[in-house]
Amino acid sequence: MAKAVEARGAEARAARKKERGKEGREKISFEERFDAIAYAAFGDLGEKLARAFELERVLAEAGMNVHPVVYGARVIFVTYLAIVAVLLSLIPIIYLPIPPMFKLILGLVLGMIPVYAFLMGIMYPQSRASDRSRRVEYELPFAATYMTTLARGGVSIGRIIEKLAESKVFHAMREEARRIIREVRFFGKDILSAIEYVASRHPNRLFKDFMLGWVSVIRTGGDIVHYLEAKTTAMFEARINAIRVIAERVAAFAEAYIIFAVIGSLGFYVFFAAGSLLGVGTAGTAQAYTSFFLFSFVVMPLVSVAIIVAIGKVLPPTGIKLEKTRKVILASIPLAAVIFLLLTAVTGVLNAMLTGEFNRRVFNLAIVSTLAALEAIAIPSAAAFISETRGTSGMEHSLASFLRDLAEVRKTGLSPERSLVYVARRDYGKFTWVVRQIAARVAWGFPLRKSTEAVLRKVKDWFVVMILTFLVDAIDVGGGSPITLDTLARFTSVLAELEVDLKRRIRSYVFMPYFGALLTAGATVMVLMFTAQTLSAAPVQAGGAFGPKITTSEFWKAATIFSISVMINSFLMGMVAGKMSARFTEAGFLHAALLTALVAAVVIALMGSAKVAIGTAVKAATPP
């Protein structure tokens, strides 16, 4: 009996051990397995690579929790897999029935893939470190204001770091605070040592100096509040120069984009127009159209997207997600495709495009169909953006005035909540509805934090959300003394001036995409007309071997394709204008809707006014 019980116990223990082993295997991710294979195969080379490129320092600055030797082995393993894939791809290419020159070019392109994979692996941590530094540098003046406000209220350094880690308005600084707390809770460091450890390994110099100086003042028994206020004021002064640099970078991107989009496009359009209308054989015309499609529908949109991304990297992040607007955008894209297909099918444009039979009627209907499809994306998205962000712009100065009034009323001895209810009777412009809704909830007995959070869900301005969150924390954690509120009001006034100054500097560049799109549209139509007129005046040689072969259908085919490409690229130029104007990519749909309609009107008007000249040129150029 005892043996049977012991046997059953052994079986149960073996089953539990097997189950634990199965659970452990299930928890191992693909990345962990990949790194294990890479380290086993290329561990020695990974160690040499880590020393050569100082991966330990770079990975620490990037905030990546991976051992430098393991990361080096990972990079080498990925490069090795890329080399194997390229070699396997070259085998069938050798036997393809294509000219040797094309085989050589294709082989060179494939041969660059392992080099690209290796360079991307080396540069990725540096890119992460740069992005980490940029985001922290933007949030640091706001975080310093927050920390100064709490310190003025007598909050300890540990509690300030915890509040930063719990913050919903900060993103980069929240991650840094969480790294500090992780060092305290998991590695047993005291709060000051944890701050020193994180700050000393940070890529941003301002953050490093600010945090290490804070720790030094605490350890030496200095005046913490005075240090924080002095450093915050110095950050504001540095921020003024940073705003100037941001505006100059945005201007450089805008100017480069307009130069490429206008001057570059016109240069290419001249060659494409000549190549497509000259009609030197079917192969020449097909090659001209192929090149034009690649440039207009691939290269130009990619350049526009790259400019939007680059401007987004330069401009400070908004910190606000427009979920409703994004849902409308996703729903409008398939709707636009359906509208375009229905309009072109019903009007006969689709059939004309497939058969190649173009005329003025097909041209006009194609322009209208394209315009309707683009507006089907732009108008609902713009309406959703306006609805979601309505009444949230231009609150900066009103918010600063509200905080100054709140600090003065608080000096009379009223509680922070009663002071807020009293101040809400005054008029603060666009900010009035926010104050009065919060005051109404507080008057009904709801807590200040819950009342503020409920109202801030409707506000899509990160600056307002951030400052009011500071106010709630200053009252809940720091007691909301008059000195604390006065400090917050003073810093908010400076921050508001900086935000307004940044918007004012960038606003002047919003009109550059409008100028570029309208100029490109007008110049494209004129290039087509001048090309047709030039061909009509050219003499036809004997037998017509090298004479112009342009027909009415060919002219309107080129005009249709050119005009559609200009409208699509004008749409993207509007997106660039919106990104510069409001820092939201979604704001570009309003500019895109207006700019696309203007370009369509310009194209149709120019073609209509030149009806007689075009007809004469095409008729004269058409061979008998």
Side-chain angles (χ1 to χ4, degrees), residues 355-496:
T355 59
E357 296 296 330
F358 286 84
N359 52 41
R360 175 178 290 277
R361 175 182 173 275
V362 173
F363 168 80
N364 291 330
L365 291 176
I367 295 299
V368 172
S369 300
T370 305
L371 177 62
L374 294 177
E375 296 293 346
I377 299 176
I379 292 177
S381 303
F385 173 77
I386 294 173
S387 175
E388 196 168 4
T389 60
R390 183 176 58 241
T392 59
S393 61
M395 292 186 179
E396 292 86 358
H397 289 296
S398 300
L399 177 58
S401 300
F402 159 73
L403 291 175
R404 283 193 295 268
D405 293 344
L406 183 64
E408 293 299 325
V409 174
R410 183 74 174 91
K411 293 177 183 178
T412 62
L414 292 176
S415 67
E417 291 79 4
R418 296 296 302 169
S419 300
L420 176 64
V421 174
Y422 180 82
V423 171
R425 302 173 185 175
R426 303 177 184 178
D427 184 16
Y428 295 103
K430 294 182 179 180
F431 187 66
T432 304
W433 71 271
V434 178
V435 178
R436 290 181 178 175
Q437 286 197 23
I438 296 175
R441 293 172 181 270
V442 171
W444 279 97
F446 291 98
L448 177 61
R449 180 174 295 277
K450 291 185 177 181
S451 301
T452 306
E453 290 176 352
V455 176
L456 290 183
R457 293 191 187 101
K458 307 174 185 178
V459 179
K460 299 300 179 181
D461 189 308
W462 183 71
F463 184 83
V464 175
V465 173
M466 175 189 60
I467 296 299
L468 288 182
T469 303
F470 291 180
L471 175 63
V472 172
D473 286 339
I475 294 174
D476 279 0
V477 181
S481 64
I483 298 178
T484 302
L485 297 180
D486 187 66
T487 302
L488 180 59
R490 178 160 43 88
F491 285 143
T492 299
S493 179
V494 179
L495 290 172

Side-chain angles (χ1 to χ4, degrees), residues 34 42 75-88 114:
F34 187 87
F42 302 102
V75 172
I76 296 176
F77 189 35
V78 170
T79 307
Y80 171 77
L81 294 178
I83 293 174
V84 173
V86 168
L87 292 177
L88 293 177

Side-chain angles (χ1 to χ4, degrees), residues 44-340:
D44 296 336
L45 293 177
E47 185 176 359
K48 295 179 180 179
L49 188 70
R51 288 199 303 268
F53 291 94
E54 298 181 352
L55 290 182
E56 183 176 2
R57 176 186 59 81
V58 176
L59 291 173
E61 292 180 350
M64 300 173 62
N65 299 320
V66 57
H67 196 278
V69 177
V70 174
Y71 186 82
R74 181 195 300 175
V75 172
I76 296 176
F77 189 35
V78 170
T79 307
Y80 171 77
L81 294 178
I83 293 174
V84 173
V86 168
L87 292 177
L88 293 177
S89 302
L90 289 176
I91 296 175
I93 292 176
I94 297 175
Y95 298 99
L96 287 177
I98 57 177
M101 182 59 66
F102 287 100
K103 292 183 180 180
L104 179 61
I105 295 174
L106 191 57
L108 291 175
V109 172
L110 292 176
M112 291 300 296
I113 294 178
V115 178
Y116 178 77
F118 179 80
L119 293 178
M120 285 297 296
I122 295 298
M123 295 173 60
Y124 178 71
Q126 297 177 358
S127 176
R128 284 279 300 269
S130 177
D131 187 67
R132 179 186 178 190
S133 175
R134 181 181 64 86
R135 292 180 176 276
V136 167
E137 185 169 351
Y138 172 68
E139 292 185 0
L140 188 57
F142 301 99
T145 301
Y146 179 64
M147 296 160 71
T148 304
T149 304
L150 294 184
R152 173 68 73 177
V155 182
S156 65
I157 182 173
R159 184 58 178 157
I160 292 175
I161 297 298
E162 290 178 359
K163 295 299 295 182
L164 275 176
E166 299 169 359
S167 174
K168 296 181 180 180
V169 296
F170 292 122
H171 299 281
M173 289 298 297
R174 180 178 61 199
E175 293 301 320
E176 304 304 329
R178 289 177 177 177
R179 288 188 175 94
I180 294 173
I181 292 177
R182 182 188 62 189
E183 295 295 324
V184 173
R185 295 180 179 176
F186 290 94
F187 299 101
K189 298 179 181 178
D190 61 274
I191 187 66
L192 298 182
S193 299
I195 293 175
E196 282 183 327
Y197 178 80
V198 173
S200 61
R201 298 157 63 90
H202 202 277
N204 188 269
R205 181 183 57 82
L206 292 177
F207 177 83
K208 184 184 300 185
D209 294 344
F210 178 76
M211 300 301 286
L212 293 179
W214 191 20
V215 171
S216 177
V217 170
I218 293 176
R219 284 180 171 169
T220 56
D223 190 343
I224 301 174
V225 175
H226 175 72
Y227 169 80
L228 291 177
E229 289 184 346
K231 293 295 288 186
T232 303
T233 304
M235 287 180 190
F236 290 156
E237 296 175 355
R239 184 66 184 166
I240 295 174
N241 296 327
I243 287 176
R244 188 180 300 110
V245 172
I246 290 173
E248 291 175 355
R249 290 179 180 176
V250 172
F253 280 123
E255 292 170 0
Y257 177 60
I258 295 305
I259 290 173
F260 180 82
V262 177
I263 300 177
S265 296
L266 292 180
F268 279 104
Y269 284 175
V270 170
F271 291 108
F272 293 148
S276 60
L277 294 182
L278 279 173
V280 185
T282 306
T285 305
Q287 185 177 1
Y289 277 118
T290 301
S291 302
F292 177 78
F293 270 98
L294 289 175
F295 177 78
S296 296
F297 297 101
V298 178
V299 175
M300 282 299 297
L302 288 179
V303 170
S304 300
V305 172
I307 289 295
I308 291 174
V309 174
I311 292 176
K313 292 290 185 180
V314 172
L315 290 176
T318 59
I320 297 292
K321 294 182 180 180
L322 305 176
E323 299 294 341
K324 295 181 180 179
T325 305
R326 293 182 180 179
K327 291 179 181 178
V328 173
I329 294 171
L330 294 176
S332 62
I333 292 176
L335 175 63
V338 171
I339 290 175
F340 181 78

Side-chain angles (χ1 to χ4, degrees), residues 573-584:
M573 286 184 182
M575 299 297 296
V576 174
K579 185 66 176 180
M580 288 190 295
S581 65
R583 287 188 279 177
F584 285 101

